[in-house]
Amino acid sequence: MRMSTGRLALLDAAEKLVARRGIHGVSSRDVLKEAGQRNNSAISYHFGSWHGLLDAIWSRHAPTINAERAALVAAAERDAPPTLDRLVHAYVHPLATQVHTSDPGYWARFNEQWLATAPLDVLSPPASAARGAHYYPSDESLDVLSALLVRIADELGPPEIAARHRVGLMVRFVIGAYAAYERAREDGDAPAPDLFEDEIIALACAMLRVPRVNR
């Protein structure tokens, strides 16, 4: 089913503005103006609510990323056991692909702004559905990948709860790095995509391998 021009304009405008200003730095009026919409109820008409609009932005990126991630996780699991490097690649590569398919792109920055509203432990499910954007959406492929990464990080040293937090911090690092990449690309100062991806994967793996800090 083809998306209407008005709906697409609202999605594009909201993703761009939230990416640049943050979830709490953008109003419905800002989005309507950016999208060239004169109907003040356009967001409610197309998405039901402001949070419905945010969810719709997430939903237009997530299926492609999740499908690619699920395939990479399945391939990694054919190893016995899956290696840390391949699992981290399974997390990073679909995000990198999504970022590189749009220029200018706002997905990583939108993701970063969403993460800014989430609890420290981004891998935990929301305490309540009423929390709106204050949780990090997940799906089966990310849940499976997170559990595998936590298991490996736990075996490398930290106890399970610390390992889960460490994986969550790795997620924040990767998203933040690609948000910075998007900004650099807009300024014409971004490194080569493949080299950048390889470096991010290496650094993310190092975050999970670093010895436990004892106090």
Side-chain angles (χ1 to χ4, degrees), residues 56-74:
I57 294 170
W58 195 276
S59 295
R60 75 169 174 168
H61 292 279
T64 301
I65 293 173
N66 294 340
E68 184 176 9
R69 182 171 289 145
L72 290 172
V73 170

Side-chain angles (χ1 to χ4, degrees), residues 89-171:
H89 175 266
Y91 177 73
V92 174
H93 185 68
L95 171 66
T97 301
Q98 189 73 12
V99 168
H100 296 317
T101 55
S102 302
D103 188 8
Y106 301 101
W107 171 239
R109 283 175 283 179
F110 178 87
N111 202 321
E112 179 185 49
Q113 297 293 353
W114 189 303
L115 267 176
T117 71
L120 178 61
D121 186 0
V122 299
L123 301 180
S124 293
S128 168
R131 298 184 69 170
H134 300 279
Y135 68 95
Y136 194 66
S138 187
D139 80 306
E140 184 178 357
S141 67
L142 184 56
D143 290 342
V144 170
L145 176 56
S146 298
L148 290 169
L149 286 170
V150 168
R151 184 185 308 165
I152 290 179
D154 187 36
E155 291 171 354
L156 292 172
E160 181 179 349
I161 187 168
R164 189 177 71 248
H165 289 165
R166 185 170 287 186
V167 173
L169 291 172
M170 183 273 289
V171 167

